[in-house]
Amino acid sequence: RIFSFLDVVTLCRCAQVSRAWNVLALDGSNWQRIDLFDFQRDIEGRVVENISKRCGGFLRKLSLRGCLGVGDNALRTFAQNCRNIEVLNLNGCTKITDATCTSLSKFCSKLRHLDLASCTSITNLSLKALSEGCPLLEQLNISWCDQVTKDGIQALVRGCGGLKALFLKGCTQLEDEALKYIGAHCPELVTLNLQTCSQITDDGLITICRGCHKLQSLCASGCSNITDAILNALGQNCPRLRILEVARCSQLTDVGFTTLARNCHELEKMDLEECVQITDSTLIQLSIHCPRLQVLSLSHCELITDDGIRHLGNGACAHDRLEVIELDNCPLITDASLEHLKSCHSLERIELYDCQQITRAGIKRLRTHLPNIKVHAYFAPVTPPPSVGGSRQRFCRCCIIL
């Protein structure tokens, strides 16, 4: 019972004390959750095979994140021995192919969470296998598996309708048709990541909004084809939305964010970097309607001014919620904005790179009210003094963290 509270490293050390301790430490019941990432990442397949034989049906959670030497054969043995596995992280295990998912489908019907990010040999065949053998799957990460197409998504969602989280970052072949399958078959979906899926348009995402009313987190950063129609659809269909990341979506405007803010009052994190059309009007709406806002990125939103920050600093989220605000490359921001943020007592970090009108004096005044805040700022070159003794002292741009 005592050994069941120990981590992997400590168990291994205990196993070397005596034969009796070896038996106790290596008992499968003590190895229900294993994460080798912080222990040893250069393991070979035989280590995984030995773990699976030792743990057997006790093992519920295994992370092999970054274990480059583990391949299909070892994972087949693992799947055969550990049929009660529920959470499996194979992120960055680049040797595995569709054969691994076939093994998981055949032997691991209780699998709920599977991470295959950066396993670039994975294709539609893997998704078809998971659909057939892992009906309880709730979370799947196939980010950067760029061979996956709409056919794989169609096969997946027909057998795994209980999906709650789907990470498709960097799946560049996906089109609107794939999202229509998700919207039609995954009503429990809470989290969806579509970052850099550049072929996605309004049509596909509107289908998601209409079919997935429980959606709480959406990342569409880099999907440059989307417009305010998406923000309207989110406002009308997804009132529980907490996280919205739409960086580099330059067609979004104040009109769409007004609808969103007025309907999605639980927003906590928004990444609006390079949404170049938004103005202070968006900040006014957020300050009025979004009292839970904690993290807000407005970098490269060059139309934002001190007046917008003033409203934000006086808004419902300011005093107890707002923790991070990013204002990099907002040229109209001055020290006045820092004055408006003094009342944000929860503020932990502010980004001010290339805000040319921000001064050191303004930052120091902010820190008198918020002594623990981290301020990242970038200042223009200091004018060098006259030469002394025939030489000139050199000054360069500096990045400071106060």
Side-chain angles (χ1 to χ4, degrees):
R1 173 63 177 167
I2 293 172
F3 282 6
S4 69
F5 293 96
L6 303 181
D7 58 48
V8 172
V9 175
T10 309
L11 282 170
C12 290
R13 288 173 177 165
C14 289
Q16 298 177 49
V17 172
S18 67
R19 290 183 179 179
W21 276 39
N22 182 278
V23 172
L24 292 173
L26 299 183
D27 187 276
S29 62
N30 292 326
W31 296 72
Q32 296 184 39
R33 296 172 179 82
I34 303 175
D35 187 344
L36 296 180
F37 186 76
D38 294 324
F39 178 51
Q40 183 179 355
R41 272 170 275 179
D42 57 348
I43 66 171
E44 298 177 357
R46 60 183 178 81
V47 175
V48 176
E49 294 177 8
N50 290 336
I51 288 175
S52 71
K53 292 173 183 176
R54 172 68 64 177
C55 300
F58 288 108
L59 191 61
R60 297 290 190 277
K61 181 178 180 180
L62 175 65
S63 176
L64 298 174
R65 179 165 56 112
C67 295
L68 303 178
V70 177
D72 293 327
N73 291 335
L75 286 166
R76 178 176 176 80
T77 301
F78 163 80
Q80 290 174 327
N81 292 322
C82 302
R83 303 192 182 204
N84 291 321
I85 191 74
E86 296 176 3
V87 180
L88 181 60
N89 189 338
L90 301 175
N91 189 321
C93 297
T94 53
K95 280 189 176 181
I96 69 171
T97 70
D98 293 329
T100 287
C101 288
T102 299
S103 299
L104 294 174
S105 172
K106 187 174 182 180
F107 301 109
C108 303
S109 61
K110 296 182 180 180
L111 194 63
R112 293 187 296 107
H113 293 188
L114 178 61
D115 192 336
L116 298 169
S118 300
C119 299
T120 53
S121 296
I122 294 298
T123 73
N124 293 338
L125 294 176
S126 287
L127 302 190
K128 185 175 184 296
L130 293 173
S131 174
E132 293 172 351
C134 304
L136 302 180
L137 199 64
E138 295 179 358
Q139 179 172 309
L140 178 65
N141 189 343
I142 51 171
S143 296
W144 310 112
C145 297
D146 54 8
Q147 296 189 58
V148 170
T149 70
K150 61 180 177 63
D151 294 333
I153 298 298
Q154 181 182 25
L156 174 72
V157 299
R158 284 182 173 173
C160 302
L163 277 169
K164 295 181 179 179
L166 191 53
F167 299 88
L168 305 172
K169 179 179 179 179
C171 294
T172 52
Q173 293 197 57
L174 294 185
E175 303 169 337
D176 291 333
E177 197 70 23
L179 300 193
K180 292 178 180 178
Y181 295 134
I182 297 171
H185 295 278
C186 300
E188 302 299 316
L189 196 68
V190 173
T191 300
L192 179 62
N193 190 318
L194 298 167
Q195 184 174 337
T196 68
C197 295
S198 54
Q199 297 189 60
I200 298 300
T201 72
D202 292 342
D203 289 343
L205 274 174
I206 288 173
T207 306
I208 292 289
C209 296
R210 290 174 177 171
C212 307
H213 298 293
K214 297 181 180 180
L215 195 67
Q216 294 183 22
S217 176
L218 174 64
C219 177
S221 294
C223 299
S224 57
N225 294 319
I226 65 174
T227 71
D228 285 343
I230 296 306
L231 302 180
N232 293 332
L234 285 169
Q236 294 168 8
N237 298 281
C238 304
R240 300 182 188 178
L241 192 68
R242 295 188 299 106
I243 300 173
L244 178 64
E245 300 178 23
V246 285
R248 304 183 302 285
C249 297
S250 57
Q251 297 188 61
L252 302 180
T253 73
D254 292 331
V255 176
F257 284 112
T258 296
T259 301
L260 181 76
R262 290 177 177 177
N263 293 278
C264 297
H265 306 303
E266 298 183 18
L267 281 166
E268 297 176 1
K269 177 183 177 181
M270 297 185 72
D271 185 353
L272 311 183
E273 182 174 349
E274 292 188 39
C275 292
V276 294
Q277 295 193 55
I278 66 172
T279 70
D280 294 337
S281 178
T282 289
L283 298 193
I284 293 171
Q285 297 300 321
L286 292 176
S287 69
I288 296 172
H289 301 291
C290 301
R292 300 187 181 185
L293 198 61
Q294 298 176 16
V295 179
L296 179 61
S297 177
L298 299 167
S299 298
H300 296 272
C301 296
E302 299 185 356
L303 302 179
I304 298 296
T305 73
D306 294 333
D307 190 54
I309 302 301
R310 177 175 64 83
H311 281 89
L312 194 65
N314 293 327
C317 67
H319 299 290
D320 301 318
R321 294 282 185 166
L322 193 62
E323 297 176 358
V324 177
I325 183 167
E326 298 177 357
L327 297 168
D328 302 334
N329 293 94
C330 292
L332 303 180
I333 295 297
T334 73
D335 286 349
S337 285
L338 304 187
E339 296 293 322
H340 299 320
L341 294 173
K342 285 180 178 179
S343 60
C344 300
H345 303 299
S346 297
L347 201 60
E348 299 174 357
R349 177 168 59 87
I350 182 170
E351 302 278 346
L352 297 165
Y353 292 111
D354 283 329
C355 293
Q356 302 296 333
Q357 299 191 66
I358 296 293
T359 68
R360 287 182 173 85
I363 292 173
K364 288 181 179 179
R365 287 194 296 272
L366 177 66
R367 291 205 68 204
T368 61
H369 291 80
L370 305 172
N372 296 320
I373 192 173
K374 290 185 178 179
V375 183
H376 296 191
Y378 186 64
F379 292 100
V382 178
T383 303
S387 59
V388 178
S391 64
R392 296 181 66 88
Q393 186 176 358
R394 292 186 177 181
F395 290 79
C396 63
R397 290 178 179 265
C398 62
C399 167
I400 68 167
I401 301 178
L402 296 178

